[in-house]
Amino acid sequence: DGGITQSPKYLFRKEGQNVTLSCEQNLNHDAMYWYRQDPGQGLRLIYYSQIVNDFQKGDIAEGYSVSREKKESFPLTVTSAQKNPTAFYLCASTSSGRAYNEQFFGPGTRLTVL
Amino acid sequence: SQQGEEDPQALSIQEGENATMNCSYKTSINNLQWYRQNSGRGLVHLILIRSNEREKHSGRLRVTLDTSKKSSSLLITASRAADTASYFCATDARSSNTGKLIFGQGTTLQVKP
């Protein structure tokens, strides 16, 4: 099956810990995105990557870091610098080119700070 | 910067009725997309309408786009209980060449059986 997988589904973090959220896609998409969703809100862009070994900050990048060493993978690290990390995190990918099309989303990771 | 604003924030209807959701945006766009999110899940793409299109249909979905008013509407006809979800519009700004989408805050639709 083609698609995007995220793991884990639920993640609990203690204060001061860094945690890494996994995102993998087998759709052969060049572009990948990380979003944060708070209760009752829309999605806000954290980081995005249009190509391997390159990524850009989105609207709320502070306290987060990413890497893009492989086309299939775009892990997100939530660092201790992120003061309010409890949220639902969604990863997405899209084919790129002259015209971007729809984004395909993973099932999400719900992060809770204890 | 918030690009899409959706209206209403919440909508409750009976099964079989039509549901209409509206989205407004601020800058010129390449395309506008609608997504659905079931509670606690990822988003599912419903339909994409390009800036040079005015109307698009997909099954029970009808989307319109008015670029002069910078607005779009999503109509779900003959709604079903399974349509209960949150619906988001998302825009791809014309000034951007990154595929970045800016999402509205969504409309929560409840369809009562």
Side-chain angles (χ1 to χ4, degrees):
Chain A
D1 287 336
I4 302 180
T5 57
Q6 290 185 243
S7 63
K9 186 172 182 179
Y10 298 98
L11 185 57
F12 298 91
R13 190 193 95 169
K14 294 181 181 178
E15 297 260 0
Q17 272 186 336
N18 292 354
V19 291
T20 298
L21 284 59
S22 168
C23 177
E24 304 277 333
Q25 54 97 0
N26 61 3
L27 300 167
N28 200 33
H29 286 168
D30 288 310
M32 297 185 74
Y33 307 83
W34 272 106
Y35 295 93
R36 169 181 172 139
Q37 186 179 32
D38 292 285
Q41 301 294 313
L43 279 64
R44 292 185 290 168
L45 183 64
I46 305 172
Y47 268 98
Y48 64 101
S49 168
Q50 293 176 274
I51 197 168
V52 175
N53 292 323
D54 187 48
F55 50 82
Q56 284 79 39
K57 294 181 179 180
D59 299 320
I60 55 165
E62 186 175 352
Y64 300 98
S65 66
V66 294
S67 63
R68 187 84 188 279
E69 297 176 1
K70 297 188 300 181
K71 187 175 186 178
E72 301 80 17
S73 179
F74 190 40
L76 173 74
T77 297
V78 184
T79 74
S80 56
Q82 171 49 240
K83 298 306 178 189
N84 185 24
T86 294
F88 190 48
Y89 290 87
L90 289 159
C91 178
S93 71
T94 187
S95 60
S96 60
R98 288 188 300 168
Y100 286 88
N101 295 306
E102 64 267 26
Q103 292 189 5
F104 291 80
F105 282 81
T109 292
R110 188 167 299 279
L111 173 62
T112 302
V113 173
L114 301 175
Chain B
S1 58
Q2 189 87 14
Q3 174 78 314
E5 297 287 345
E6 292 175 69
D7 169 59
Q9 286 190 318
L11 182 59
S12 181
I13 60 175
Q14 293 295 134
E15 208 165 25
E17 294 180 339
N18 295 343
T20 299
M21 289 158 261
N22 302 296
C23 170
S24 61
Y25 57 92
K26 296 178 182 175
T27 62
S28 295
I29 60 172
N30 290 318
N31 64 65
L32 185 144
Q33 303 177 37
W34 286 90
Y35 288 82
R36 184 184 75 203
Q37 183 181 36
N38 288 86
S39 181
R41 304 285 188 90
L43 276 68
V44 174
H45 180 262
L46 294 176
I47 198 165
L48 180 153
I49 187 166
R50 301 201 185 278
S51 59
N52 61 353
E53 298 175 312
R54 292 296 166 258
E55 188 170 312
K56 206 160 183 181
H57 297 255
S58 177
R60 293 184 295 112
L61 305 180
R62 173 179 170 252
V63 169
T64 61
L65 179 64
D66 186 336
T67 52
S68 66
K69 295 181 180 178
K70 292 186 169 59
S71 67
S72 173
S73 67
L74 170 67
L75 168 66
I76 304 174
T77 60
S79 63
R80 305 167 182 169
D83 294 328
T84 295
S86 293
Y87 293 82
F88 296 90
C89 68
T91 51
D92 173 7
R94 183 166 292 174
S95 59
S96 166
N97 189 30
T98 63
K100 286 168 53 179
L101 295 179
I102 300 176
F103 287 82
Q105 293 195 338
T107 293
T108 300
L109 172 66
Q110 181 185 29
V111 181
K112 299 175 184 176

